[in-house]
Amino acid sequence: TGNYSESVQLITVEDVTAPQITDVADVTVNCQDNNTSTATGVATGTDNCSPVAISQSEVSTQNADVNNAGHYNYTITRTWRATDITGNYSESVQLITVEDVTAPILMNVPGNITVPQASMNNTCVGVLAWLTPTATDNCSTATLAIRSSRPQETTFYSLGTTTAGLFYPGETTVYYKAIDASGNATAEQSFVVTVEDLTPPVLSNIPANITVNNEPGTCGAHVSWIAPTTSDNCIGTVTLTCDYVSGAMFNKGTTVVTYTATNSTGMTAEASFLVTVVDNENPTITAPAAVTVAADANSCSATGVALGTPVSSDNCSTLTVSNNAPLSYPLGTTTVTWTANDGNGNIVTAEQVVTV
């Protein structure tokens, strides 16, 4: 008869599963390198049902100031999202580190330079100019740092593409290095500026020649004097040296004392005086004891008399000792005179009596 009944079933089909996303590895790149996803990698995704759309967003810590290290050293946090057609999504975070670790390149540092004294118009300051070195960097603008081995005596002036300096006599080393905004620096390069000084220093107030007597009981004397003074045509230290020290002991005789003055460029001047120590101390002598002898047989005199040896000494020299003894002594007493001579003009005598 066609009678029937119906029942309705509702089947809901839905996509509630997020896509799967493949992580992109963290990466570190140099500041001059491409840091877009083209170079650093792109995430991929798959879904259980529909195609997947890949999108990205990022946050950067880069400083906007091109003179700041943070403009070349920073991080990018790049977030990747895989979204299916129903709006389900998964995310992955990639960290990109941008850094500047490359030093600049320093070029065109001058070679060594000599400034003749004649070009200084008899002054002691050499004025010199040179082309300023150049520097390049992989990312930022490089700046030049300059210093001197004699900072207290050197002044630099920047004149754009030229640098000038005031230099005193002698050798001065000029050092350059290049530094980028991140603080990366080159090794120092240098050149030497030599300013000639051909004028020696001057010694003044040289002591006059000195003559003194020996000190008692010695063969010399301590001698003192006031050191000379020095001056130089240029700024710098003058070193004064001497081969003897004031107050030193000097032996008998004449000694040459020499002072040498040396300026900062090695020029020298010398001056000398004489120290003479005179031996004015007498030697000592003691004659042998008196001698009594008998006359020779059948004679009224005596020969071959043994006189003995005197005792003598001197503060300096080996003495010459002599006597005036005769070969034959007559009856009675004879005085024998002993003489000690030190060779320096000091002579003493002693007497010995011989009785026959």
Side-chain angles (χ1 to χ4, degrees):
T1 59
N3 299 313
Y4 65 88
S5 295
E6 291 181 336
S7 175
V8 176
Q9 178 186 19
L10 179 65
I11 300 170
T12 303
V13 179
E14 60 182 5
D15 181 4
V16 294
T17 303
Q20 292 184 341
I21 189 168
T22 303
D23 292 335
V24 183
D26 296 342
V27 64
T28 299
V29 299
N30 291 323
C31 55
Q32 77 271 19
D33 294 339
N34 181 3
N35 58 39
T36 66
S37 58
T38 303
T40 61
V42 178
T44 60
T46 60
D47 189 62
N48 61 323
C49 292
S50 66
V52 174
I54 300 296
S55 61
Q56 69 180 65
S57 62
E58 61 186 43
V59 176
S60 172
T61 62
Q62 185 179 30
N63 191 297
D65 183 358
V66 296
N67 295 315
N68 190 292
H71 190 78
Y72 308 99
N73 299 269
Y74 57 96
T75 58
I76 300 171
T77 302
R78 183 168 293 156
T79 302
W80 293 96
R81 176 178 289 189
T83 308
D84 65 17
I85 202 168
T86 60
N88 299 307
Y89 66 87
S90 297
E91 290 184 335
S92 174
V93 176
Q94 178 190 19
L95 182 65
I96 300 163
T97 301
V98 180
E99 60 183 11
D100 179 8
V101 294
T102 304
I105 299 173
L106 179 62
M107 300 171 289
N108 303 317
V109 175
N112 296 339
I113 305 170
T114 297
V115 183
Q117 187 179 41
S119 69
M120 296 187 292
N121 298 320
N122 295 320
T123 68
C124 283
V125 180
V127 180
L128 182 67
W130 59 89
L131 291 176
T132 304
T134 56
T136 60
D137 189 61
N138 60 321
C139 292
S140 65
T141 300
T143 58
L144 295 178
I146 184 173
R147 70 179 182 91
S148 164
S149 61
R150 300 164 68 181
Q152 304 302 320
E153 302 174 5
T154 311
T155 304
F156 295 112
Y157 300 93
S158 177
L159 307 174
T161 59
T162 302
T163 302
L166 299 180
F167 297 89
Y168 284 93
E171 291 187 352
T172 302
T173 303
V174 179
Y175 298 90
Y176 271 104
K177 68 178 176 180
I179 307 170
D180 66 17
S182 299
N184 301 306
T186 64
E188 286 187 318
Q189 297 183 36
S190 64
F191 63 98
V192 177
V193 176
T194 303
V195 177
E196 291 183 339
D197 176 13
L198 304 180
T199 303
V202 176
L203 280 164
S204 304
N205 304 314
I206 304 300
N209 294 337
I210 301 171
T211 300
V212 297
N213 292 326
N214 69 287
E215 295 172 3
T218 69
C219 198
H222 292 86
V223 181
S224 299
W225 60 87
I226 297 175
T229 57
T230 62
S231 61
D232 193 57
N233 63 319
C234 294
I235 294 176
T237 301
V238 177
T239 303
L240 185 65
T241 59
C242 185
D243 45 8
Y244 292 92
V245 177
S246 176
M249 170 66 81
F250 286 80
N251 293 328
K252 181 199 71 170
T254 298
T255 303
V256 179
V257 178
T258 302
Y259 272 95
T260 302
T262 306
N263 67 14
S264 59
T265 62
M267 299 297 294
T268 62
E270 289 187 351
S272 301
F273 63 96
L274 302 179
V275 173
T276 301
V277 177
V278 177
D279 177 15
N280 73 336
E281 185 172 339
N282 286 331
T284 62
I285 188 169
T286 301
V291 176
T292 299
V293 296
D296 294 344
N298 301 316
S299 174
C300 291
S301 62
T303 59
V305 177
L307 298 178
T309 303
V311 177
S312 61
S313 65
D314 188 64
N315 61 313
C316 282
S317 309
T318 300
L319 290 172
T320 300
V321 178
S322 61
N323 62 48
N324 63 348
L327 294 176
S328 176
Y329 294 84
L331 294 175
T333 60
T334 301
T335 300
V336 176
T337 300
W338 292 86
T339 302
N341 186 337
D342 67 3
N344 297 313
N346 302 307
I347 301 171
V348 293
T349 61
E351 294 182 342
Q352 178 186 19
V353 175
V354 177
T355 302
V356 179

